Amino acid sequence: MRAFVFPGQGSQKVGMGAELADASAVAREVFEEVDDALGQKLSAIMREGPEDVLTLTENAQPAIMANAIATLRVLEKEGGIALADKGDCVAGHSLGEYTALCAVGAFSLADTARLLKLRGQAMQAAVPVGQGAMCALLGADVEKAQALADAAAEGQVCAVANDNDPTQVVLSGHREAIERAIALVKEHGIKRGILLPVSAPFHCPLMQPAADAMAEALEKTPPQALRLPVYANVTASLVSDAAEERRLLVEQVCGRVRWRESVIAMQAAGTTHFVELGGKVLGPMIGRSVQDVEVTSVVTMEDIESLIKAL
C-alpha cells in the first residue's frame, strides 16, 4: 500500500517552486491559478521573497500547498500518474491536510488557496503578536513533553501541539509558559528546547477564534467527496466522509497534530511506501516513527521523473 503525504508550515523557503515552474507549463498554471484566486502575486513572493513576507502565516500556508499541488499536477499530467490509482490514502501535516484534500478532489485548487489564506490570517489574528510562542523539544517523546507542559503551565496555556516523531514534540501556548518549559527541559530528561520562529501559538486552545473563523468558512466551502481517504491530524485515523472531515478540520486548529500516531496507523493498515510531495521534512519524521517502510520525497523535476519510473 502507498500513502501520499503533504508537508506543513516550516517547509517554505525563498525559491520554492521556481525550478518546477521554469521546467513545466503545468506547474506554472498551478501557481497562476493560486495567484488569481488570492488576488496577489504569491508566486513572485515564493520565487523572490523577501523571506519575512513569505514566512507570514497567511502567505506560507497557501505557498506550501501550491508547491505541493504543482508537484502533484506535473506527476499526474506529464507522468500520466493518477493519484487515486497509485495511492491508497493521503495525509498532511497541519495545513498539509488541506493540500491532501485538494489532491483527492475534496476542494478545488482555488478554494484550497482561499481557505488557507483565511486560516493563516485567522491564526495570526487570534493572539496578539508577542503573547504566544511555540518550542520544539528534541529528545522528547509525547509523555515527557506532556509532563513538561503540565509543569510549565502555571495557570497559562502550555499544550502539546505537534507529536511529530518519537524524538520531536512541539509545545504551544502563552510565551511565558513556553519560556518556562524551555528552562525546565533538563529536569524532565529532555535534550533541548528551541523557541520556534513562528508568529502565533498554533494548535493550542488560544487558537479558538481561528477555529470559529474556519467553522464559518468551511460552512460556506465544505469539502466534497474524497477520491481517497485521508488520515485526519486530530484523530490519527482514516476518514472518508466529507462531513466528518469538515468537523475535524475545525477541531484541527486548536487540536494536536498527531503525526507520529498517523504514520504508525498508516503502517498498521498496510502502508509500506510513503511519498512526500513538495517537501523533504516529513520523510525523516516517518523514518523515525516506523521501521521497514520506503520513503520517497519529491521536490524537483528529477525527483518527479524518478518517481514516475518507480510507479
Side-chain angles (χ1 to χ4, degrees):
M1 285 174 65
R2 184 180 293 109
F4 285 90
V5 298
F6 299 88
Q9 206 154 329
S11 58
Q12 74 278 356
K13 61 172 190 251
V14 173
M16 65 192 294
E19 186 237 20
L20 212 56
D22 291 342
S24 167
V26 172
R28 287 195 296 278
E29 281 168 19
V30 169
F31 296 132
E32 284 163 14
E33 190 176 336
V34 170
D35 285 353
D36 290 345
L38 298 180
Q40 76 174 119
K41 287 292 284 181
L42 183 65
S43 58
I45 298 168
M46 291 166 68
R47 186 182 278 266
E48 297 154 17
E51 189 174 354
D52 60 337
V53 177
L54 177 60
T55 304
L56 286 172
T57 305
E58 65 176 79
N59 291 329
Q61 293 201 24
I64 292 161
M65 180 279 297
N67 189 51
I69 293 297
T71 309
L72 171 64
R73 291 276 170 88
V74 174
L75 185 68
E76 289 184 325
K77 292 191 177 176
E78 295 186 13
I81 302 289
L83 191 79
D85 293 340
K86 297 294 183 180
D88 297 282
C89 63
V90 292
H93 189 283
S94 189
L95 80 91
E97 191 167 336
Y98 284 82
T99 316
L101 291 165
C102 179
V104 297
F107 294 122
S108 70
L109 176 59
D111 282 342
T112 310
R114 285 189 285 262
L115 284 167
L116 285 175
K117 180 83 175 175
L118 173 70
R119 184 176 181 268
Q121 290 170 334
M123 285 176 141
Q124 187 60 68
V127 180
V129 174
Q131 286 191 16
M134 298 179 78
C135 69
L137 304 176
L138 306 182
D141 59 24
V142 73
E143 286 79 15
K144 282 183 182 175
Q146 187 63 59
L148 173 60
D150 293 344
E154 294 184 14
Q156 291 184 306
V157 171
C158 190
V160 174
N162 300 1
D163 177 10
N164 286 334
D165 68 43
T167 68
Q168 190 199 93
V169 179
V170 174
L171 301 184
S172 182
H174 287 106
R175 177 170 283 275
E176 298 91 342
I178 295 301
E179 287 170 351
R180 284 194 293 271
I182 292 171
L184 290 169
V185 287
K186 292 282 191 279
E187 288 177 34
H188 286 261
I190 295 166
K191 194 158 61 179
R192 275 180 78 197
I194 303 166
L195 198 64
L196 293 176
V198 294
S199 51
F202 308 129
H203 299 294
C204 79
L206 296 175
M207 286 285 111
Q208 189 56 49
D212 295 341
M214 290 315 295
E216 195 177 319
L218 290 162
E219 193 78 33
K220 293 174 188 159
T221 311
Q224 303 303 305
L226 286 63
R227 285 197 288 269
L228 286 178
V230 62
Y231 276 82
N233 281 187
V234 291
T235 59
S237 59
L238 204 58
V239 180
S240 52
D241 178 66
E244 184 186 356
E245 178 57 21
R246 181 175 78 179
R247 179 177 59 78
L248 295 175
L249 286 175
V250 176
E251 283 184 25
Q252 191 223 54
V253 179
C254 296
R256 181 183 302 180
V257 176
R258 294 168 64 181
W259 185 251
R260 176 186 60 86
E261 292 174 82
S262 297
V263 170
I264 290 168
M266 284 185 262
Q267 188 198 36
T271 299
T272 53
H273 186 197
F274 292 84
V275 180
E276 178 182 4
L277 294 178
K280 296 196 173 185
V281 291
L282 298 180
M285 292 180 195
I286 293 166
R288 289 189 290 267
S289 298
V290 291
Q291 305 298 309
D292 304 319
V293 296
E294 185 184 350
V295 182
T296 308
S297 294
V298 182
V299 176
T300 64
M301 281 300 288
E302 196 179 332
D303 294 337
I304 292 170
E305 284 157 11
S306 298
L307 181 62
I308 289 166
K309 286 179 192 153
L311 293 176

